[in-house]
Amino acid sequence: MDNQTQVSEFVLLGLSQQPLQRQLLFSLSFILYLSGCLGNLLTILAIVLDPHLHSPMYFFLSNLSLLDICFISTTIPKMLVNHLCGLSTISFSACLAQMYFFIAFGAADSMLLSAMAYDRYVAICSPLHYVTIMSVLWCALLVVIPWISANLISMVHTLLMSHLSFCTNRIPHFFCDINALVKLSCSDTQVNEMLVLVLGGPVVLISFVCIMASYIPIAMAVWKVPSVQGRWKAFSTCGSHLCVVCLFYGTVIGVYFTPASTHTTQRDMAATVMYTMVTPMLNPFIYSLRNQDLKGALRKLFIGNPFAKPL
C-alpha cells in the first residue's frame, strides 16, 4: 500500500490511443482553441472600446468571454504541448492545479450565466426600473460573488483530493478531471463524491433551474408585446443566451449529475469536449451573430479606428 501514496505524476491517456485519430483530434483541438481565444478576445475588445456597449448586459458578456478564455486555457494548451512533445505526463502538483482552475472557472461560468439571465429578466419584465435595479454596485457583486464562490468550492475539492491515495497513475482523460481522479483512488472517496453533489448541485442545478424559471415571465412579457418586430427583437436578445445555457448545462449535468452506471468513457469524453472546447468557442459567435449592436462594434473594430474621436 505504500506505493499508492507515492504518485509523483499522472499519465494522461488523451482523447484517443490511435495515432491517426490523435493527429486529427490535435488539429481540431488547436482550431477550436485558437477560434475560442480569438473570438472571445475580440468580443472583450469590442465591448471595452465601444462606449455604446458600456451597459450591464455587455459587462456580463465581457466577463463571460474572459472566463471562457481562462476555462479553455486550463486544459487545452497542456494537451497540445504533450502531443507536440510526444509526452503524456503531468506532475501531481500540476494535476491538482489544473483541476483547481478547471473547477473554479467552470463554476464561475455557471453562476455568471444565471446572473446574465437575471439581467435579461429585469430588462424585459421591469424596463422602467432596470437602471435602478442593475446599478454599478449590484452588477459588480453579481460578477465578484461567482468568482469568489467558485474559488472557495474549488479549494475544498483540491484539498480533499490532495489527501487521497491512488492505485494507478493512468488517467483515461485528456486533463485532470475530478471524476477521473476519484475513480483512480484506493482511498475512501465517499466525502469527495458527496461534495461533488453538495457543492456542485447549487452551482449547476440550481443555477440552471433559476435560469429556466427566469425565462417563463420573460416569455410571457414578450408574448404581450403588440409589435411583431419588438417581439422578435426581445426573443433574439435572449435566444443567444438560451443556446449557450442548453449546450453548457446539458453536457455538464450529463457528466457530473447522472448515475455512474450510465457513464461510459467515450460518452463522458464526448460530453466533456462539448463544454470544454465547443461551448467557449461558440459563445462569441452566437452572441455576435444574433446581436446587431455587437456586430456593429466588431465591424468598427475591424474597419475603423475605435480610438478616433468624432469631429
Side-chain angles (χ1 to χ4, degrees):
M1 294 292 291
D2 291 339
N3 62 345
Q4 294 171 3
T5 61
Q6 296 175 358
V7 173
S8 60
E9 65 180 17
F10 289 101
V11 177
L12 297 170
L13 300 183
L15 293 170
S16 175
Q17 297 299 304
Q18 302 298 324
L20 187 60
Q21 289 183 357
R22 287 174 68 91
Q23 187 64 41
L24 179 63
L25 290 169
F26 168 81
S27 302
L28 181 61
S29 300
F30 178 74
I31 292 171
L32 289 174
Y33 178 70
L34 195 63
S35 301
C37 285
L38 184 61
N40 282 293
L41 183 60
L42 287 174
T43 299
I44 294 172
L45 287 175
I47 292 172
V48 169
L49 297 176
D50 192 336
H52 298 95
L53 300 184
H54 293 177
S55 64
M57 174 182 172
Y58 296 105
F59 172 68
F60 293 130
L61 180 55
S62 62
N63 276 275
L64 179 67
S65 294
L66 176 61
L67 272 173
D68 282 339
I69 293 174
C70 296
F71 189 51
I72 56 178
S73 297
T74 302
T75 56
I76 311 305
K78 174 62 178 174
M79 182 183 70
L80 298 176
V81 169
N82 278 1
H83 180 86
L84 288 174
C85 299
L87 302 173
S88 59
T89 58
I90 183 172
S91 68
F92 182 76
S93 57
C95 187
L96 289 182
Q98 188 184 63
M99 189 192 80
Y100 174 89
F101 288 113
F102 179 81
I103 295 173
F105 293 135
D109 207 324
S110 175
M111 288 184 274
L112 186 60
L113 285 172
S114 62
M116 293 174 71
Y118 174 73
D119 171 69
R120 290 300 85 205
Y121 164 77
V122 175
I124 293 176
C125 297
S126 302
L128 298 179
H129 301 94
Y130 179 75
V131 176
T132 304
I133 296 173
M134 301 304 293
S135 63
V136 174
L137 177 61
W138 184 232
C139 289
L141 285 174
L142 287 175
V143 169
V144 172
I145 290 174
W147 278 91
I148 295 176
S149 302
N151 277 276
L152 291 175
I153 291 169
S154 184
M155 190 181 299
V156 171
H157 285 303
T158 306
L159 288 174
L160 288 173
M161 188 65 68
S162 66
H163 290 88
L164 294 182
S165 301
F166 297 92
C167 301
T168 177
N169 68 340
R170 297 174 65 82
I171 302 176
H173 221 306
F174 64 93
F175 71 99
C176 294
D177 179 60
I178 185 171
N179 277 356
L181 288 171
V182 165
K183 290 176 183 177
L184 297 183
S185 177
C186 296
S187 307
D188 184 0
T189 60
Q190 285 186 349
V191 174
N192 301 73
E193 294 171 0
M194 179 188 69
L195 285 177
V196 169
L197 297 177
V198 172
L199 297 179
V203 170
V204 176
L205 298 178
I206 294 180
S207 294
F208 179 67
V209 170
C210 290
I211 290 172
M212 300 314 293
S214 70
Y215 274 95
I216 295 175
I218 287 176
M220 294 174 63
V222 171
W223 188 255
K224 296 177 182 178
V225 175
S227 167
V228 176
Q229 184 179 0
R231 192 183 308 166
W232 169 250
K233 183 179 180 180
F235 272 126
S236 179
T237 302
C238 300
S240 55
H241 184 217
L242 278 176
C243 290
V244 176
V245 165
C246 293
L247 188 60
F248 179 80
Y249 285 101
T251 50
V252 170
I253 291 172
V255 172
Y256 296 102
F257 300 98
T258 55
S261 58
T262 64
H263 290 209
T264 64
T265 302
Q266 292 76 15
R267 176 178 172 273
D268 284 355
M269 197 87 73
T272 304
V273 167
M274 289 299 293
Y275 74 81
T276 57
M277 296 189 202
V278 178
T279 304
M281 183 274 294
L282 286 179
N283 277 351
F285 295 102
I286 289 175
Y287 280 105
S288 61
L289 290 175
R290 297 179 64 87
N291 189 296
Q292 295 297 326
D293 293 333
L294 190 53
K295 279 198 290 186
L298 288 170
R299 195 177 299 115
K300 286 192 290 184
L301 188 64
F302 280 114
I303 64 176
N305 182 3
F307 297 101
K309 296 181 179 180
L311 296 176

PDB file of all heavy atoms in Angstrom, residues 270-301:
ATOM      1  N   ALA A 270     -16.895  12.682 -24.889  1.00  0.00           N
ATOM      2  CA  ALA A 270     -17.567  13.490 -25.905  1.00  0.00           C
ATOM      3  C   ALA A 270     -18.301  14.666 -25.279  1.00  0.00           C
ATOM      4  O   ALA A 270     -18.243  15.797 -25.781  1.00  0.00           O
ATOM      5  CB  ALA A 270     -18.546  12.612 -26.696  1.00  0.00           C
ATOM      6  N   ALA A 271     -18.978  14.413 -24.147  1.00  0.00           N
ATOM      7  CA  ALA A 271     -19.696  15.493 -23.463  1.00  0.00           C
ATOM      8  C   ALA A 271     -18.726  16.534 -22.914  1.00  0.00           C
ATOM      9  O   ALA A 271     -18.988  17.740 -22.975  1.00  0.00           O
ATOM     10  CB  ALA A 271     -20.552  14.920 -22.332  1.00  0.00           C
ATOM     11  N   THR A 272     -17.590  16.059 -22.396  1.00  0.00           N
ATOM     12  CA  THR A 272     -16.589  16.983 -21.852  1.00  0.00           C
ATOM     13  C   THR A 272     -16.016  17.870 -22.938  1.00  0.00           C
ATOM     14  O   THR A 272     -15.779  19.063 -22.716  1.00  0.00           O
ATOM     15  CB  THR A 272     -15.455  16.194 -21.161  1.00  0.00           C
ATOM     16  OG1 THR A 272     -16.008  15.349 -20.157  1.00  0.00           O
ATOM     17  CG2 THR A 272     -14.455  17.148 -20.521  1.00  0.00           C
ATOM     18  N   VAL A 273     -15.770  17.309 -24.114  1.00  0.00           N
ATOM     19  CA  VAL A 273     -15.267  18.097 -25.241  1.00  0.00           C
ATOM     20  C   VAL A 273     -16.254  19.210 -25.583  1.00  0.00           C
ATOM     21  O   VAL A 273     -15.857  20.339 -25.892  1.00  0.00           O
ATOM     22  CB  VAL A 273     -15.007  17.202 -26.462  1.00  0.00           C
ATOM     23  CG1 VAL A 273     -14.783  18.040 -27.720  1.00  0.00           C
ATOM     24  CG2 VAL A 273     -13.804  16.297 -26.224  1.00  0.00           C
ATOM     25  N   MET A 274     -17.549  18.905 -25.481  1.00  0.00           N
ATOM     26  CA  MET A 274     -18.563  19.901 -25.815  1.00  0.00           C
ATOM     27  C   MET A 274     -18.483  21.117 -24.898  1.00  0.00           C
ATOM     28  O   MET A 274     -18.502  22.257 -25.366  1.00  0.00           O
ATOM     29  CB  MET A 274     -19.963  19.276 -25.723  1.00  0.00           C
ATOM     30  CG  MET A 274     -20.264  18.279 -26.825  1.00  0.00           C
ATOM     31  SD  MET A 274     -20.217  19.016 -28.476  1.00  0.00           S
ATOM     32  CE  MET A 274     -21.625  20.108 -28.387  1.00  0.00           C
ATOM     33  N   TYR A 275     -18.378  20.896 -23.587  1.00  0.00           N
ATOM     34  CA  TYR A 275     -18.407  22.061 -22.688  1.00  0.00           C
ATOM     35  C   TYR A 275     -17.027  22.642 -22.397  1.00  0.00           C
ATOM     36  O   TYR A 275     -16.933  23.758 -21.877  1.00  0.00           O
ATOM     37  CB  TYR A 275     -19.176  21.764 -21.391  1.00  0.00           C
ATOM     38  CG  TYR A 275     -18.477  20.883 -20.383  1.00  0.00           C
ATOM     39  CD1 TYR A 275     -17.533  21.384 -19.508  1.00  0.00           C
ATOM     40  CD2 TYR A 275     -18.802  19.530 -20.275  1.00  0.00           C
ATOM     41  CE1 TYR A 275     -16.908  20.583 -18.567  1.00  0.00           C
ATOM     42  CE2 TYR A 275     -18.192  18.717 -19.339  1.00  0.00           C
ATOM     43  CZ  TYR A 275     -17.245  19.246 -18.487  1.00  0.00           C
ATOM     44  OH  TYR A 275     -16.631  18.443 -17.558  1.00  0.00           O
ATOM     45  N   THR A 276     -15.950  21.921 -22.724  1.00  0.00           N
ATOM     46  CA  THR A 276     -14.608  22.487 -22.510  1.00  0.00           C
ATOM     47  C   THR A 276     -14.037  23.148 -23.756  1.00  0.00           C
ATOM     48  O   THR A 276     -13.216  24.062 -23.646  1.00  0.00           O
ATOM     49  CB  THR A 276     -13.615  21.402 -22.041  1.00  0.00           C
ATOM     50  OG1 THR A 276     -13.579  20.339 -23.000  1.00  0.00           O
ATOM     51  CG2 THR A 276     -13.998  20.849 -20.687  1.00  0.00           C
ATOM     52  N   MET A 277     -14.448  22.696 -24.945  1.00  0.00           N
ATOM     53  CA  MET A 277     -13.897  23.248 -26.182  1.00  0.00           C
ATOM     54  C   MET A 277     -14.947  23.947 -27.041  1.00  0.00           C
ATOM     55  O   MET A 277     -14.767  25.095 -27.446  1.00  0.00           O
ATOM     56  CB  MET A 277     -13.259  22.133 -27.018  1.00  0.00           C
ATOM     57  CG  MET A 277     -12.072  21.446 -26.388  1.00  0.00           C
ATOM     58  SD  MET A 277     -11.282  20.345 -27.595  1.00  0.00           S
ATOM     59  CE  MET A 277     -10.413  19.234 -26.508  1.00  0.00           C
ATOM     60  N   VAL A 278     -16.050  23.262 -27.290  1.00  0.00           N
ATOM     61  CA  VAL A 278     -17.031  23.754 -28.262  1.00  0.00           C
ATOM     62  C   VAL A 278     -17.803  24.958 -27.728  1.00  0.00           C
ATOM     63  O   VAL A 278     -17.925  25.985 -28.411  1.00  0.00           O
ATOM     64  CB  VAL A 278     -18.002  22.629 -28.670  1.00  0.00           C
ATOM     65  CG1 VAL A 278     -19.057  23.164 -29.640  1.00  0.00           C
ATOM     66  CG2 VAL A 278     -17.238  21.466 -29.304  1.00  0.00           C
ATOM     67  N   THR A 279     -18.319  24.860 -26.493  1.00  0.00           N
ATOM     68  CA  THR A 279     -19.113  25.964 -25.941  1.00  0.00           C
ATOM     69  C   THR A 279     -18.328  27.275 -25.839  1.00  0.00           C
ATOM     70  O   THR A 279     -18.819  28.318 -26.279  1.00  0.00           O
ATOM     71  CB  THR A 279     -19.681  25.583 -24.559  1.00  0.00           C
ATOM     72  OG1 THR A 279     -20.437  24.378 -24.679  1.00  0.00           O
ATOM     73  CG2 THR A 279     -20.571  26.681 -24.017  1.00  0.00           C
ATOM     74  N   PRO A 280     -17.105  27.271 -25.269  1.00  0.00           N
ATOM     75  CA  PRO A 280     -16.348  28.532 -25.222  1.00  0.00           C
ATOM     76  C   PRO A 280     -16.041  29.098 -26.606  1.00  0.00           C
ATOM     77  O   PRO A 280     -15.952  30.319 -26.762  1.00  0.00           O
ATOM     78  CB  PRO A 280     -15.048  28.138 -24.499  1.00  0.00           C
ATOM     79  CG  PRO A 280     -15.406  26.942 -23.694  1.00  0.00           C
ATOM     80  CD  PRO A 280     -16.402  26.205 -24.532  1.00  0.00           C
ATOM     81  N   MET A 281     -15.892  28.216 -27.599  1.00  0.00           N
ATOM     82  CA  MET A 281     -15.628  28.685 -28.958  1.00  0.00           C
ATOM     83  C   MET A 281     -16.895  29.282 -29.584  1.00  0.00           C
ATOM     84  O   MET A 281     -16.828  30.268 -30.322  1.00  0.00           O
ATOM     85  CB  MET A 281     -15.106  27.522 -29.814  1.00  0.00           C
ATOM     86  CG  MET A 281     -14.721  27.893 -31.239  1.00  0.00           C
ATOM     87  SD  MET A 281     -16.106  27.845 -32.409  1.00  0.00           S
ATOM     88  CE  MET A 281     -16.503  26.105 -32.414  1.00  0.00           C
ATOM     89  N   LEU A 282     -18.052  28.691 -29.287  1.00  0.00           N
ATOM     90  CA  LEU A 282     -19.306  29.139 -29.880  1.00  0.00           C
ATOM     91  C   LEU A 282     -19.841  30.430 -29.266  1.00  0.00           C
ATOM     92  O   LEU A 282     -20.525  31.205 -29.940  1.00  0.00           O
ATOM     93  CB  LEU A 282     -20.372  28.046 -29.746  1.00  0.00           C
ATOM     94  CG  LEU A 282     -20.251  26.832 -30.671  1.00  0.00           C
ATOM     95  CD1 LEU A 282     -21.371  25.854 -30.376  1.00  0.00           C
ATOM     96  CD2 LEU A 282     -20.294  27.249 -32.133  1.00  0.00           C
ATOM     97  N   ASN A 283     -19.550  30.654 -27.983  1.00  0.00           N
ATOM     98  CA  ASN A 283     -20.123  31.810 -27.280  1.00  0.00           C
ATOM     99  C   ASN A 283     -19.987  33.131 -28.036  1.00  0.00           C
ATOM    100  O   ASN A 283     -20.991  33.816 -28.272  1.00  0.00           O
ATOM    101  CB  ASN A 283     -19.503  31.941 -25.887  1.00  0.00           C
ATOM    102  CG  ASN A 283     -20.168  31.040 -24.873  1.00  0.00           C
ATOM    103  OD1 ASN A 283     -21.199  30.438 -25.146  1.00  0.00           O
ATOM    104  ND2 ASN A 283     -19.580  30.941 -23.694  1.00  0.00           N
ATOM    105  N   PRO A 284     -18.777  33.532 -28.434  1.00  0.00           N
ATOM    106  CA  PRO A 284     -18.662  34.837 -29.121  1.00  0.00           C
ATOM    107  C   PRO A 284     -19.389  34.868 -30.452  1.00  0.00           C
ATOM    108  O   PRO A 284     -19.942  35.910 -30.835  1.00  0.00           O
ATOM    109  CB  PRO A 284     -17.148  35.015 -29.310  1.00  0.00           C
ATOM    110  CG  PRO A 284     -16.580  33.639 -29.224  1.00  0.00           C
ATOM    111  CD  PRO A 284     -17.453  32.904 -28.253  1.00  0.00           C
ATOM    112  N   PHE A 285     -19.428  33.733 -31.156  1.00  0.00           N
ATOM    113  CA  PHE A 285     -20.102  33.703 -32.463  1.00  0.00           C
ATOM    114  C   PHE A 285     -21.617  33.753 -32.294  1.00  0.00           C
ATOM    115  O   PHE A 285     -22.318  34.431 -33.054  1.00  0.00           O
ATOM    116  CB  PHE A 285     -19.691  32.455 -33.234  1.00  0.00           C
ATOM    117  CG  PHE A 285     -18.232  32.434 -33.587  1.00  0.00           C
ATOM    118  CD1 PHE A 285     -17.342  31.657 -32.852  1.00  0.00           C
ATOM    119  CD2 PHE A 285     -17.732  33.196 -34.626  1.00  0.00           C
ATOM    120  CE1 PHE A 285     -15.987  31.640 -33.158  1.00  0.00           C
ATOM    121  CE2 PHE A 285     -16.384  33.196 -34.941  1.00  0.00           C
ATOM    122  CZ  PHE A 285     -15.513  32.425 -34.202  1.00  0.00           C
ATOM    123  N   ILE A 286     -22.138  33.054 -31.293  1.00  0.00           N
ATOM    124  CA  ILE A 286     -23.583  33.083 -31.043  1.00  0.00           C
ATOM    125  C   ILE A 286     -24.030  34.496 -30.683  1.00  0.00           C
ATOM    126  O   ILE A 286     -25.008  35.018 -31.213  1.00  0.00           O
ATOM    127  CB  ILE A 286     -23.953  32.099 -29.914  1.00  0.00           C
ATOM    128  CG1 ILE A 286     -23.816  30.654 -30.405  1.00  0.00           C
ATOM    129  CG2 ILE A 286     -25.378  32.341 -29.427  1.00  0.00           C
ATOM    130  CD1 ILE A 286     -24.046  29.620 -29.326  1.00  0.00           C
ATOM    131  N   TYR A 287     -23.295  35.145 -29.787  1.00  0.00           N
ATOM    132  CA  TYR A 287     -23.685  36.490 -29.350  1.00  0.00           C
ATOM    133  C   TYR A 287     -23.506  37.523 -30.458  1.00  0.00           C
ATOM    134  O   TYR A 287     -24.335  38.406 -30.639  1.00  0.00           O
ATOM    135  CB  TYR A 287     -22.874  36.898 -28.121  1.00  0.00           C
ATOM    136  CG  TYR A 287     -23.399  36.300 -26.845  1.00  0.00           C
ATOM    137  CD1 TYR A 287     -22.746  35.251 -26.222  1.00  0.00           C
ATOM    138  CD2 TYR A 287     -24.569  36.780 -26.253  1.00  0.00           C
ATOM    139  CE1 TYR A 287     -23.231  34.692 -25.047  1.00  0.00           C
ATOM    140  CE2 TYR A 287     -25.061  36.242 -25.086  1.00  0.00           C
ATOM    141  CZ  TYR A 287     -24.390  35.196 -24.487  1.00  0.00           C
ATOM    142  OH  TYR A 287     -24.881  34.640 -23.337  1.00  0.00           O
ATOM    143  N   SER A 288     -22.421  37.414 -31.227  1.00  0.00           N
ATOM    144  CA  SER A 288     -22.169  38.427 -32.248  1.00  0.00           C
ATOM    145  C   SER A 288     -23.108  38.277 -33.433  1.00  0.00           C
ATOM    146  O   SER A 288     -23.565  39.263 -34.006  1.00  0.00           O
ATOM    147  CB  SER A 288     -20.713  38.352 -32.724  1.00  0.00           C
ATOM    148  OG  SER A 288     -20.432  37.088 -33.302  1.00  0.00           O
ATOM    149  N   LEU A 289     -23.425  37.036 -33.801  1.00  0.00           N
ATOM    150  CA  LEU A 289     -24.290  36.815 -34.961  1.00  0.00           C
ATOM    151  C   LEU A 289     -25.740  37.177 -34.669  1.00  0.00           C
ATOM    152  O   LEU A 289     -26.504  37.478 -35.582  1.00  0.00           O
ATOM    153  CB  LEU A 289     -24.200  35.355 -35.419  1.00  0.00           C
ATOM    154  CG  LEU A 289     -22.875  34.939 -36.064  1.00  0.00           C
ATOM    155  CD1 LEU A 289     -22.876  33.443 -36.365  1.00  0.00           C
ATOM    156  CD2 LEU A 289     -22.621  35.722 -37.343  1.00  0.00           C
ATOM    157  N   ARG A 290     -26.147  37.149 -33.403  1.00  0.00           N
ATOM    158  CA  ARG A 290     -27.539  37.409 -33.046  1.00  0.00           C
ATOM    159  C   ARG A 290     -27.718  38.774 -32.380  1.00  0.00           C
ATOM    160  O   ARG A 290     -28.782  39.068 -31.854  1.00  0.00           O
ATOM    161  CB  ARG A 290     -28.055  36.309 -32.113  1.00  0.00           C
ATOM    162  CG  ARG A 290     -28.078  34.928 -32.748  1.00  0.00           C
ATOM    163  CD  ARG A 290     -28.571  33.896 -31.747  1.00  0.00           C
ATOM    164  NE  ARG A 290     -29.948  34.164 -31.365  1.00  0.00           N
ATOM    165  CZ  ARG A 290     -31.016  33.721 -32.018  1.00  0.00           C
ATOM    166  NH1 ARG A 290     -30.853  32.978 -33.093  1.00  0.00           N
ATOM    167  NH2 ARG A 290     -32.229  34.002 -31.608  1.00  0.00           N
ATOM    168  N   ASN A 291     -26.683  39.598 -32.417  1.00  0.00           N
ATOM    169  CA  ASN A 291     -26.760  40.886 -31.732  1.00  0.00           C
ATOM    170  C   ASN A 291     -26.235  41.978 -32.653  1.00  0.00           C
ATOM    171  O   ASN A 291     -25.052  42.023 -32.971  1.00  0.00           O
ATOM    172  CB  ASN A 291     -25.931  40.814 -30.438  1.00  0.00           C
ATOM    173  CG  ASN A 291     -26.129  42.038 -29.568  1.00  0.00           C
ATOM    174  OD1 ASN A 291     -25.780  43.133 -29.961  1.00  0.00           O
ATOM    175  ND2 ASN A 291     -26.689  41.835 -28.385  1.00  0.00           N
ATOM    176  N   GLN A 292     -27.129  42.866 -33.066  1.00  0.00           N
ATOM    177  CA  GLN A 292     -26.769  43.905 -34.026  1.00  0.00           C
ATOM    178  C   GLN A 292     -25.765  44.900 -33.452  1.00  0.00           C
ATOM    179  O   GLN A 292     -24.849  45.349 -34.143  1.00  0.00           O
ATOM    180  CB  GLN A 292     -28.036  44.650 -34.484  1.00  0.00           C
ATOM    181  CG  GLN A 292     -29.019  43.790 -35.265  1.00  0.00           C
ATOM    182  CD  GLN A 292     -28.417  43.286 -36.563  1.00  0.00           C
ATOM    183  OE1 GLN A 292     -27.613  43.962 -37.211  1.00  0.00           O
ATOM    184  NE2 GLN A 292     -28.804  42.075 -36.964  1.00  0.00           N
ATOM    185  N   ASP A 293     -25.926  45.262 -32.159  1.00  0.00           N
ATOM    186  CA  ASP A 293     -25.009  46.222 -31.543  1.00  0.00           C
ATOM    187  C   ASP A 293     -23.589  45.671 -31.484  1.00  0.00           C
ATOM    188  O   ASP A 293     -22.621  46.378 -31.777  1.00  0.00           O
ATOM    189  CB  ASP A 293     -25.481  46.565 -30.133  1.00  0.00           C
ATOM    190  CG  ASP A 293     -26.791  47.325 -30.136  1.00  0.00           C
ATOM    191  OD1 ASP A 293     -27.063  48.015 -31.134  1.00  0.00           O
ATOM    192  OD2 ASP A 293     -27.554  47.229 -29.143  1.00  0.00           O
ATOM    193  N   LEU A 294     -23.459  44.404 -31.113  1.00  0.00           N
ATOM    194  CA  LEU A 294     -22.135  43.797 -31.018  1.00  0.00           C
ATOM    195  C   LEU A 294     -21.524  43.607 -32.397  1.00  0.00           C
ATOM    196  O   LEU A 294     -20.313  43.792 -32.587  1.00  0.00           O
ATOM    197  CB  LEU A 294     -22.214  42.464 -30.272  1.00  0.00           C
ATOM    198  CG  LEU A 294     -20.891  41.820 -29.873  1.00  0.00           C
ATOM    199  CD1 LEU A 294     -20.023  42.801 -29.102  1.00  0.00           C
ATOM    200  CD2 LEU A 294     -21.130  40.566 -29.043  1.00  0.00           C
ATOM    201  N   LYS A 295     -22.350  43.252 -33.367  1.00  0.00           N
ATOM    202  CA  LYS A 295     -21.843  43.136 -34.745  1.00  0.00           C
ATOM    203  C   LYS A 295     -21.321  44.476 -35.242  1.00  0.00           C
ATOM    204  O   LYS A 295     -20.288  44.551 -35.912  1.00  0.00           O
ATOM    205  CB  LYS A 295     -22.951  42.615 -35.681  1.00  0.00           C
ATOM    206  CG  LYS A 295     -23.138  41.111 -35.629  1.00  0.00           C
ATOM    207  CD  LYS A 295     -23.903  40.586 -36.825  1.00  0.00           C
ATOM    208  CE  LYS A 295     -25.339  40.993 -36.805  1.00  0.00           C
ATOM    209  NZ  LYS A 295     -26.125  40.353 -37.896  1.00  0.00           N
ATOM    210  N   GLY A 296     -22.039  45.553 -34.908  1.00  0.00           N
ATOM    211  CA  GLY A 296     -21.585  46.882 -35.301  1.00  0.00           C
ATOM    212  C   GLY A 296     -20.273  47.254 -34.638  1.00  0.00           C
ATOM    213  O   GLY A 296     -19.386  47.844 -35.272  1.00  0.00           O
ATOM    214  N   ALA A 297     -20.121  46.904 -33.352  1.00  0.00           N
ATOM    215  CA  ALA A 297     -18.884  47.204 -32.632  1.00  0.00           C
ATOM    216  C   ALA A 297     -17.711  46.407 -33.206  1.00  0.00           C
ATOM    217  O   ALA A 297     -16.601  46.936 -33.345  1.00  0.00           O
ATOM    218  CB  ALA A 297     -19.058  46.891 -31.149  1.00  0.00           C
ATOM    219  N   LEU A 298     -17.959  45.156 -33.556  1.00  0.00           N
ATOM    220  CA  LEU A 298     -16.907  44.338 -34.161  1.00  0.00           C
ATOM    221  C   LEU A 298     -16.525  44.871 -35.541  1.00  0.00           C
ATOM    222  O   LEU A 298     -15.346  44.855 -35.914  1.00  0.00           O
ATOM    223  CB  LEU A 298     -17.380  42.874 -34.266  1.00  0.00           C
ATOM    224  CG  LEU A 298     -17.461  42.100 -32.954  1.00  0.00           C
ATOM    225  CD1 LEU A 298     -18.166  40.768 -33.164  1.00  0.00           C
ATOM    226  CD2 LEU A 298     -16.063  41.865 -32.383  1.00  0.00           C
ATOM    227  N   ARG A 299     -17.526  45.358 -36.280  1.00  0.00           N
ATOM    228  CA  ARG A 299     -17.249  45.917 -37.604  1.00  0.00           C
ATOM    229  C   ARG A 299     -16.359  47.158 -37.478  1.00  0.00           C
ATOM    230  O   ARG A 299     -15.401  47.333 -38.226  1.00  0.00           O
ATOM    231  CB  ARG A 299     -18.568  46.257 -38.293  1.00  0.00           C
ATOM    232  CG  ARG A 299     -18.432  46.502 -39.799  1.00  0.00           C
ATOM    233  CD  ARG A 299     -19.789  46.758 -40.421  1.00  0.00           C
ATOM    234  NE  ARG A 299     -20.682  45.623 -40.270  1.00  0.00           N
ATOM    235  CZ  ARG A 299     -21.804  45.634 -39.543  1.00  0.00           C
ATOM    236  NH1 ARG A 299     -22.155  46.739 -38.889  1.00  0.00           N
ATOM    237  NH2 ARG A 299     -22.564  44.575 -39.457  1.00  0.00           N
ATOM    238  N   LYS A 300     -16.668  47.997 -36.498  1.00  0.00           N
ATOM    239  CA  LYS A 300     -15.840  49.197 -36.273  1.00  0.00           C
ATOM    240  C   LYS A 300     -14.436  48.823 -35.808  1.00  0.00           C
ATOM    241  O   LYS A 300     -13.467  49.492 -36.125  1.00  0.00           O
ATOM    242  CB  LYS A 300     -16.512  50.097 -35.227  1.00  0.00           C
ATOM    243  CG  LYS A 300     -17.730  50.844 -35.746  1.00  0.00           C
ATOM    244  CD  LYS A 300     -18.161  51.924 -34.776  1.00  0.00           C
ATOM    245  CE  LYS A 300     -18.745  51.348 -33.514  1.00  0.00           C
ATOM    246  NZ  LYS A 300     -19.258  52.394 -32.604  1.00  0.00           N
ATOM    247  N   LEU A 301     -14.353  47.722 -35.065  1.00  0.00           N
ATOM    248  CA  LEU A 301     -13.053  47.272 -34.574  1.00  0.00           C
ATOM    249  C   LEU A 301     -12.157  46.843 -35.730  1.00  0.00           C
ATOM    250  O   LEU A 301     -10.943  47.053 -35.706  1.00  0.00           O
ATOM    251  CB  LEU A 301     -13.248  46.107 -33.598  1.00  0.00           C
ATOM    252  CG  LEU A 301     -12.020  45.622 -32.824  1.00  0.00           C
ATOM    253  CD1 LEU A 301     -11.509  46.712 -31.898  1.00  0.00           C
ATOM    254  CD2 LEU A 301     -12.354  44.363 -32.031  1.00  0.00           C
TER     255      LEU A 301
END
